[in-house]
Amino acid sequence: MSEDASPRKELAAVKGTRDILPGEVEKWQALERLARETFESYGYRELRAPIFEVTELFEKGTGSTSDIVTKEMYTFTDKGGRSLTLRPEYTPSVVRAIVEHRLDLQPEPMRYYYMGPMFRYDKPQKGRYRQFHQVDIEVFGEKDAALDAEIIEMADALLRKLGVNGTETLVNSVGCRACRPAYSAALREAAGKRRSELCPDCQRKAETNPLRIFDCKVEACRAVAAAFPLIQDFLCAECKDHFAKLLGLLALYRLPYHVDPRLVRGLDYYTKTTFEIVSSHLGAQNAILGGGRYDDMMKDFGGPDICGIGFAMGIERALAAAEIALPARRALYLAALGEEAGKAGLELARFFRASGVECLVEFKDRGMKAHFGRANKLKAAWVLIVGEDELKKGRFGLKDMATGGQVDGTREELLEFLRKN
Ligand code: AMP
């Protein structure tokens, strides 16, 4: 490429964002299709919410002491002076939509899914972007741990369809409003004793929300946190039973899991179950998907007292671990010879496209040899030959570019032939 043709650096895609180009996008489409099929087979329906919301929604929902809210949000003031934020996650938007549209009046449980971009001002690295994409599911109105197990099973089923292997499922319970305060107090005390060993961020967390110290990546903080008391020793009877039932059902599904008592997952709203599926193929950013229960968010948003649970899968990470076999593209190249054939070819292309055949039409007048060269370049599977003779007879030649074999027929016969081949 000459220097003149390279893009101006200052106009390049913003750091932490990426273009998804043809060649790669087919995998995205396949993942999206498999996710849709999987979720709909469990009774989920799509719910599309806006990409930006009032900032307060995330402060309240995601949590004012979470890293996402304190450090990572794309917040701006619009021309009307409102503080808006590009969504860093999807759950608060769904909860808002349910309260706003009184979707809770529908029969429970309510099951929703969504796919789209999320935005976090984080340090870009492999598997971590500023605009990334998630597949997200949320269910409301079902307290039973059977649902927790079912969504983990559903996540696993989707990963199998995507050809993701070498995964591990981590589960934990973070307790509820009844039992967490005692645990937080124990953490606060433990963190207070070793305050000087913590990073400044965690020293602050030790006072505001000691559970968040488990999110810290600093080695010294991790070492301190490794010696903290464990939540399992503080769970109330209800949370304990819930967790035991979940583990029993995972065993029934024959889904191997690992209990990780430090899995608190960066968000303030979780209650009871948290879980993550990690891949051994992904390096440092190894969590393909994660989620948990959030039984208080709806009530906290001024809505009815309805519990919720969900998970989000990172599409970039899932694709990095996936093995998706794409069907070969089988396009038809229309080779029109002469002006009349060129005009008739437009109608023929319309006929084939309307029947679902990918049909490539070049507008430049070409001879037969040039047409074949072009069809080869475009990797067409078939060439339809449209000349004056063919037009008169209403029968056309169809050449298989791989074998060189040719068949003749009316457009209807050829369509039938293409469908069979
Ligand atoms: P979270 O919303 O933090 O619970 O994350 C759910 C999933 O989204 C993770 O397991 C990742 O697969 C993905 N994810 C989260 N943050 C990023 C990011 N900055 N870049 C790419 N993927 C991400």
Side-chain angles (χ1 to χ4, degrees):
M1 192 189 278
S2 78
E3 216 165 295
D4 290 340
S6 55
R8 279 171 57 187
K9 214 170 157 201
E10 63 274 24
L11 297 183
V14 173
K15 191 175 169 188
T17 72
R18 301 189 310 135
D19 299 309
I20 304 149
L21 304 176
E24 193 194 353
V25 84
E26 291 78 6
K27 296 207 165 166
W28 285 66
Q29 292 166 341
L31 178 145
E32 287 159 7
R33 181 174 45 74
L34 289 169
R36 247 173 238 288
E37 276 171 22
T38 305
F39 301 153
E40 300 216 350
S41 76
Y42 286 73
Y44 288 71
R45 293 294 174 265
E46 187 169 2
L47 189 160
R48 299 186 190 192
I51 280 179
F52 54 83
E53 302 266 4
V54 297
T55 301
E56 201 191 338
L57 181 83
F58 301 110
E59 288 169 349
K60 228 177 149 146
T62 309
S64 57
T65 61
S66 65
D67 281 353
I68 292 180
V69 169
T70 54
K71 300 178 201 162
E72 297 171 4
M73 294 206 302
Y74 276 93
T75 297
F76 60 98
T77 306
D78 78 354
K79 290 189 166 53
R82 285 168 289 253
S83 177
L84 302 177
T85 293
L86 297 183
R87 62 179 181 208
E89 59 146 345
Y90 198 59
T91 309
S93 298
V94 188
V95 175
R96 176 200 50 70
I98 289 172
V99 175
E100 203 166 316
H101 303 286
R102 293 306 314 263
L103 298 180
D104 57 290
L105 298 178
Q106 295 178 3
E108 298 175 12
M110 299 165 266
R111 297 167 189 259
Y112 303 107
Y113 74 86
Y114 178 72
M115 308 172 204
M118 306 290 154
F119 307 86
R120 292 184 197 170
Y121 192 83
D122 204 346
K123 212 172 159 193
Q125 53 181 285
K126 189 167 171 279
R128 187 169 284 286
Y129 309 98
R130 291 182 172 168
Q131 175 176 329
F132 61 99
H133 300 77
Q134 285 185 341
V135 162
D136 181 282
I137 68 106
E138 314 284 345
V139 189
F140 300 90
E142 178 58 74
K143 277 191 173 12
D144 199 307
L147 175 65
D148 308 31
E150 188 190 80
I151 74 167
I152 294 174
E153 188 274 328
M154 181 170 80
D156 182 78
L158 175 58
L159 293 178
R160 297 300 135 239
K161 285 187 197 169
L162 294 172
V164 175
N165 294 307
T167 57
E168 191 180 11
T169 302
L170 309 176
V171 289
N172 190 27
S173 173
V174 293
C176 66
R177 282 191 178 162
C179 53
R180 183 116 43 89
Y183 181 55
S184 292
L187 283 184
R188 196 167 285 126
E189 198 190 325
K193 281 188 190 143
R194 300 183 64 180
R195 199 167 188 277
S196 61
E197 295 167 62
L198 296 170
C199 73
D201 209 19
C202 285
Q203 292 190 0
R204 180 180 53 79
K205 289 173 179 175
E207 268 134 47
T208 55
N209 189 351
L211 203 67
R212 296 273 69 89
I213 296 175
F214 288 122
D215 300 329
C216 187
K217 303 279 182 292
V218 176
E219 215 33 69
C221 299
R222 292 176 84 97
V224 171
F228 280 173
L230 298 181
I231 180 80
Q232 268 71 25
D233 298 326
F234 291 80
L235 294 181
C236 61
E238 190 188 308
C239 287
K240 233 181 224 165
D241 287 350
H242 190 95
F243 196 47
K245 180 165 184 190
L246 166 65
L247 299 186
L249 288 169
L250 291 179
L252 192 76
Y253 280 124
R254 293 188 301 284
L255 289 175
Y257 61 82
H258 175 75
V259 175
D260 178 355
R262 292 179 187 81
L263 184 73
V264 295
R265 302 224 63 259
L267 301 165
D268 285 350
Y269 50 67
Y270 285 130
T271 53
K272 296 196 170 86
T273 309
T274 52
F275 68 96
E276 218 164 74
I277 299 185
V278 299
S279 161
S280 52
H281 301 306
L282 289 183
Q285 304 303 322
N286 67 350
I288 298 185
L289 63 87
R293 195 168 258 289
Y294 48 93
D295 289 347
D296 303 314
M297 198 195 288
M298 186 94 73
K299 188 174 51 194
D300 292 348
F301 275 23
D305 187 3
I306 293 180
C307 58
I309 184 169
F311 70 72
M313 176 177 90
I315 297 185
E316 286 85 354
R317 286 190 208 170
L319 286 177
E323 283 192 29
I324 299 178
L326 295 173
R329 285 187 96 93
R330 307 281 291 159
L332 173 70
Y333 178 97
L334 198 137
L337 301 161
E339 209 182 314
E340 277 315 301
K343 283 185 197 153
L346 300 180
E347 192 51 40
L348 270 171
R350 194 186 229 177
F351 168 79
F352 283 105
R353 287 169 180 159
S355 307
V357 176
E358 179 178 352
C359 186
L360 310 173
V361 176
E362 292 280 309
F363 303 123
K364 204 169 151 195
D365 199 12
R366 285 189 166 92
M368 189 65 105
K369 200 164 160 226
H371 268 312
F372 277 111
R374 187 74 187 137
N376 238 334
K377 231 183 192 155
L378 295 175
K379 297 195 171 69
W382 308 93
V383 172
L384 183 76
I385 300 154
V386 188
E388 274 175 31
D389 250 19
E390 283 81 0
L391 277 179
K392 262 188 228 141
K393 291 186 199 140
R395 294 182 72 81
F396 308 90
L398 181 71
K399 192 175 166 94
D400 183 330
M401 292 296 280
T403 63
Q406 188 166 321
V407 291
D408 287 84
T410 63
R411 61 182 202 175
E412 286 78 13
E413 286 163 357
L414 293 179
L415 175 64
E416 200 48 39
F417 177 83
L418 285 172
R419 283 204 170 127
K420 282 194 188 128
N421 292 273

